[in-house]
Amino acid sequence: MVIVTTIRHEVLTLPAAPLGPDNPLPALRPLDEVHRIEDRDRAGLPHDMARQIGCAPLHSLLPAPVRDGYGRTRRDRTIDALVLENDRLRATVLPGLGGRIASLVHLPTGRELLYRNPVFQPANFALNGAWFSGGIEWNIGATGHTTLSCAPLHAARVPAPDGGIMLRLWEWERLRDLPFQVDLWLPDGSDFLHVGVRVRNPHERPVPTYWWSNIAVPEERRVLAPAEEAWHFGYERRLRRVTVPAYDGVDRTYPLNSRYAADYFYEVPDGRRRWIAALDEDGDGLVQTSTDVLRGRKLFVWGSGTGGRRWQEWLTEPGTGGYCEIQAGLARTQLEHVRLEAESEVAWLESYGPLDAPPPAGEWQAAVRRTEERLETVLPRAAVDAAYAAWKPYADAEPEEILNTGSGWGALEVLRGGWKLPGTPFAESAMGGEQEPWRHLLRAGSLPEAEPSGPPGPSLVAPHWRDLLETAPATPAAEYHLGVAQWHAGDRAQAVRSWERALELAPAHWPSLRCLAVADRGSEHHERAADRYRQAFDGLCAQRTGDDERWTAAAAALGREAIEALLRAGRPAEARAVWDRLDEATRARGRFRLIEAELLLAEGRAGQARTVFAEDFEVADLREGDERLGQVWRRSGGGELPARYDFRMRPDPS
C-alpha cells in the first residue's frame, strides 16, 4: 500500500497580539486558581474522587514564570504551523503555541470540525497567564490550562505503525517535573486522527499527574456523552451532582441553555465506551473517543448571560460566533490529580473525527444510543484499542527529522538525572542563557552571579536543585535562589533567612527586598511589607540601566505589587509616588488604569475614578473569574456596570 500521509511546514497570517516578555519576578504569591471547592462539598463524594481532589493540589506556579506581557493591539503577524494531512483530514498544528491543533478539516466535505479562532489573542486563563481559545489543546500539570499554552514544544517527524509518518510533540512539564509526548497519527484513508499520549515519571517517587484534552467546537450544538449524571461546577466554587440532560427544568446539553459559565463533568459508567460528541441539528459534527485510561468527559459552557457573551467577544472578534468546549481527562473532574507511580508511565490513545449521526434532538437516552451506534459503525471500539496496541511500540521510535525546538529545561533535567527517555530526546544543544547558570551549578557546584544589566534569571525549586543550592558557596545569587526554592517547599522561615543573607551580600538589594515583602504580606505584616516594597521599587529604579523589555517588565510588575501593598497599608501618597515613576506606556496599560482608579478612590477622588472608566480601558490580563472590575466600578459610585466591563461568570452574591 502506498502511504500518502504528509507533514509540511506552513505559515499562518492572522491578526495577533504580541505575547510580550514574561514577568521576571518569581511567582511567590499563592496560586490564583478558581477551580477549588468548598470543604462542605467534599462530604458525600465518591471515595476515589475525594481522595484525588486532596491529592497534592498545586499551591505555587514555581518554577514557571508568569506570562502577563501581552496586550490587546492586534495586527497581522505570521505564526509557524505544521500540517498533517491525508486524503480525508487536514490537521494544522501550532508547535510554538503549546502544540495546539488550530484546525481539523474534513476534506471530502470541506467542513471545519473545530472552533477555529480567526485571531490570536492571549488572555489570562492559563495557570501562569497567557492562553488563547480555539482548537484542541493539551493540558498537563495541574488543575487549569497548562503553563505551556503559549510556549514552544519540541516537534519531529517519526515513523508510524502503518509504515507512514507521525508528528510527535514533546516537552518537559515543569510544575510536576514530568516529560510527556503527543503523537499525531493520521493513517492513509482514515477519517480519524489518532493521538497517542504518554506521560512518564522518571523519578524515584510518585508524582501527582493531571491531563485534559480540551476541544473547542461551535456552541450551536448538542453535546452528547454516555451519562445520565454529571458533576456541576460553577464559579460559585460548588461541586454538586446533577442529572443529565436536564436539571432545574433546563436541558443543559445545549450550551446556550445555561446562563452562566459552568463545567459539567459527565459520570460515564465503568465499562462504558468513553466518547463525547458535539452535533448540529442535522447530526453532523465532531466526535472524540479514546481508550479507557482517559476516563473523564466534560462540557464547558460560557452561557448566554452578558458576562459569558463578553468573554466570547474578548477572546476573538465580535460577530465571529461563540464556542463551547468538550473535553477528556484522566479523572472524573478537573479538581483531581491521579498518582503516577515512581519510574512508571501512563499512556492512552484518542481519536478525533467527523460524525454524521441521526439528528440529536429528542429523548436523551435514545439520542445517545443512536449516536453511539453510529460511532461504532464508523470507528468501532475495538479499532481504537487496536490502534493503541499498534501505536504503543512506536512511542519509543526516535525522531527522523526535527521540526521545531522547545525549551532547554528538559535537556537540563535529563543532564542532571542521567535519564534515558527513548523517543523524546532533550538535546543539550537546546539549552540557552536561562539554563546556563544551572548547568554551571550542576557541573562546578557554584551558581554564577547574575549580570547587573538585568533582573535575576529564573529560579529552580525542585528538591534536587534545592539540595545543590544548599551545598553551593553562599553567594548573593545562591542565597536568593535558595530562598525561592525554600519558599516553594513551604520552609518560609528558612527562605526569609536566605533572602536576608542575600541582602547582606548583594550589591543590588531590590530582588531580595521584594521577596521579603511578599513574605511579610503573607504573614499579615502589611506595614512592613509596604516599607519593603517601597524600598525595593526605589532600588530597582536606581539600578535600572536601560529601557529594554526585561527592565520594563520588572518595573511594571514590582510597581504594581508596591502600589497594591501601599494602598492596603493605607498609604496612598506613597502609592502615588510609585505610580508617578512608572513608564508612561506602563501607566497606559489597562491593568494600570484599573490601579489608577483604585488609587484615586484611596485619595478620595471618586469622580476622577469614574472618569478613568469613561475612557474605555481594557485590562488585557483580566483573570478568569476576577470580579475586581465590577468591585472598583461600584466603589466609584458608577451605578449599573457597563456591558463592556461585565465579565461576570456567576450570579451576583446575594
Side-chain angles (χ1 to χ4, degrees):
M1 184 173 83
V2 177
I3 304 298
V4 297
T5 301
T6 60
I7 299 173
R8 68 177 184 273
H9 285 276
E10 207 168 85
V11 175
L12 307 181
T13 300
L14 69 163
L19 275 170
D22 290 346
N23 187 324
L25 306 184
L28 301 176
R29 297 166 75 175
L31 185 67
D32 180 16
E33 174 49 43
V34 299
H35 296 94
R36 302 185 187 279
I37 62 171
E38 304 287 346
D39 288 340
R40 60 184 170 175
D41 286 341
R42 294 175 186 262
L45 294 178
H47 177 70
D48 62 333
M49 182 189 292
R51 183 182 69 251
Q52 291 179 168
I53 287 176
C55 176
L58 195 68
H59 297 293
S60 169
L61 274 178
L62 292 167
V66 174
R67 309 202 72 181
D68 59 1
Y70 52 88
R72 293 199 44 91
T73 301
R74 296 192 289 265
R75 62 175 178 81
D76 283 351
R77 303 176 192 270
T78 58
I79 296 176
D80 290 334
L82 295 170
V83 177
L84 177 68
E85 184 172 356
N86 67 1
D87 57 336
R88 309 290 296 176
L89 283 177
R90 180 172 63 241
T92 302
V93 181
L94 308 180
L97 294 169
R100 182 81 57 102
I101 299 180
S103 170
L104 186 63
V105 175
H106 185 231
L107 297 174
T109 61
R111 283 196 291 125
E112 173 62 70
L113 301 179
L114 306 174
Y115 168 77
R116 181 172 186 170
N117 198 330
V119 305
F120 172 69
Q121 176 56 64
N124 194 358
F125 278 73
L127 284 164
N128 62 336
W131 169 88
F132 64 107
S133 65
I136 304 172
E137 58 175 311
W138 319 111
N139 287 297
I140 180 174
T143 297
H145 294 280
T146 177
T147 60
L148 297 168
S149 291
C150 292
L153 302 191
H154 299 280
R157 185 193 314 268
V158 296
D162 59 356
I165 54 175
M166 294 189 295
L167 174 59
R168 174 164 299 160
L169 307 165
W170 73 98
E171 236 320 340
W172 194 278
E173 200 288 311
R174 301 178 66 203
L175 298 181
R176 301 300 194 184
D177 255 346
L178 298 177
F180 72 96
Q181 72 188 77
V182 178
D183 286 357
L184 306 179
W185 172 28
L186 191 53
D188 183 39
S190 174
D191 276 324
F192 283 85
L193 172 67
H194 296 318
V195 180
V197 182
R198 176 168 64 170
V199 182
R200 290 190 270 201
N201 176 14
H203 304 287
E204 296 178 350
R205 66 183 189 280
V207 176
T209 308
Y210 173 95
W211 184 280
W212 281 80
S213 302
N214 290 11
I215 310 135
V217 292
E219 63 186 352
E220 298 85 3
R221 300 287 187 270
R222 191 181 199 190
V223 173
L224 301 105
E228 297 182 14
E229 292 183 314
W231 296 93
H232 171 272
F233 179 81
Y235 286 78
E236 308 92 332
R237 298 190 177 184
R238 300 296 310 276
L239 182 69
R240 62 183 185 271
R241 193 192 295 260
V242 299
T243 55
V244 175
Y247 81 92
D248 287 347
V250 177
D251 187 336
R252 309 288 175 162
T253 63
Y254 291 92
L256 288 170
N257 282 356
S258 292
R259 178 163 177 76
Y260 292 100
D263 300 326
Y264 298 90
F265 299 102
Y266 293 115
E267 187 69 69
V268 180
D270 289 342
R272 192 74 182 266
R273 184 175 185 178
R274 309 285 165 175
W275 62 271
I276 189 167
L279 305 178
D280 65 19
E281 61 183 8
D282 296 323
D284 294 327
L286 174 86
V287 65
Q288 187 270 3
T289 186
S290 72
T291 50
D292 290 350
V293 167
L294 203 64
R295 172 180 186 172
R297 293 298 185 275
K298 170 192 159 183
L299 165 64
F300 167 76
V301 300
W302 285 107
S304 60
T306 54
R309 307 329 294 168
R310 182 70 179 106
W311 272 117
Q312 294 264 31
E313 294 176 351
W314 186 255
L315 296 171
T316 183
E317 291 281 10
T320 57
Y323 75 96
C324 64
E325 289 180 355
I326 58 175
Q327 306 181 13
L330 284 174
R332 276 190 181 96
T333 74
Q334 289 173 332
L335 309 175
E336 303 168 67
H337 300 85
V338 300
R339 178 184 172 103
L340 187 56
E341 297 297 338
E343 299 178 331
S344 70
E345 65 179 48
V346 60
W348 63 91
L349 185 125
E350 309 176 43
S351 298
Y352 297 82
L355 195 66
D356 55 343
E363 195 271 330
W364 175 250
Q365 291 183 351
V368 168
R369 184 184 66 253
R370 293 192 301 266
T371 303
E372 191 166 41
E373 288 172 351
R374 180 58 180 159
L375 172 60
E376 185 66 19
T377 298
V378 297
L379 185 66
R381 184 178 188 179
V384 175
D385 292 336
Y388 171 75
W391 164 75
K392 192 61 172 62
Y394 285 79
D396 285 346
E398 293 300 330
E400 296 178 337
E401 180 187 1
I402 300 297
L403 302 174
N404 197 68
T405 301
S407 79
W409 296 114
L412 182 67
E413 294 297 338
V414 168
L415 180 66
R416 186 208 62 81
W419 291 308
K420 304 297 182 184
L421 299 171
T424 54
F426 291 94
E428 196 167 345
S429 59
M431 284 193 262
E434 290 188 332
Q435 292 81 38
E436 188 54 42
W438 300 95
R439 177 161 53 178
H440 189 276
L441 173 65
L442 186 62
R443 289 177 166 170
S446 63
L447 195 68
E449 285 303 304
E451 293 292 331
S453 58
S459 299
L460 294 182
V461 297
H464 43 265
W465 292 108
R466 190 171 71 247
D467 291 345
L468 287 170
L469 288 167
E470 287 173 347
T471 58
T475 62
E479 293 293 345
Y480 167 80
H481 290 293
L482 176 58
V484 175
Q486 291 164 333
W487 180 268
H488 175 264
D491 193 349
R492 304 300 170 84
Q494 197 63 260
V496 167
R497 284 192 284 273
S498 294
W499 290 324
E500 288 173 342
R501 287 194 297 271
L503 271 182
E504 297 172 2
L505 299 169
H509 291 176
W510 71 264
S512 295
L513 278 170
R514 182 262 176 179
C515 293
L516 290 167
V518 174
D520 287 335
R521 177 173 172 171
S523 55
E524 303 291 324
H525 294 302
H526 295 299
E527 284 291 341
R528 192 167 68 196
D531 288 340
R532 281 175 161 162
Y533 265 124
R534 180 181 51 77
Q535 294 166 20
F537 187 74
D538 288 346
L540 182 150
C541 292
Q543 188 197 357
R544 184 174 178 177
T545 57
D547 293 325
D548 66 83
E549 65 176 18
R550 291 196 73 227
W551 275 120
T552 301
L558 184 54
R560 172 179 169 180
E561 291 183 15
I563 291 171
E564 290 171 347
L566 288 161
L567 289 179
R568 188 181 183 96
R571 294 154 64 171
E574 292 172 82
R576 172 64 65 181
V578 173
W579 170 267
D580 288 341
R581 296 176 74 181
L582 292 172
D583 300 323
E584 184 177 349
T586 296
R587 294 198 302 263
R589 289 166 53 185
R591 170 60 63 182
F592 287 85
R593 300 309 310 278
L594 180 60
I595 291 172
E596 181 184 18
E598 293 178 289
L599 178 56
L600 289 165
L601 287 171
E603 294 169 333
R605 296 190 282 173
Q608 288 175 267
R610 289 194 297 275
T611 299
V612 173
F613 278 94
E615 294 172 357
D616 291 353
F617 64 88
E618 294 184 315
V619 181
D621 62 335
L622 187 68
R623 184 69 174 161
E624 173 188 11
D626 189 346
E627 299 176 345
R628 191 165 162 186
L629 260 176
Q631 292 166 354
V632 177
W633 170 262
R634 285 190 290 273
R635 286 172 53 205
S636 74
E640 183 67 23
L641 184 66
R644 65 185 181 277
Y645 296 129
D646 188 352
F647 292 89
R648 288 173 290 188
M649 301 180 78
R650 62 172 183 166
D652 286 331
S654 57

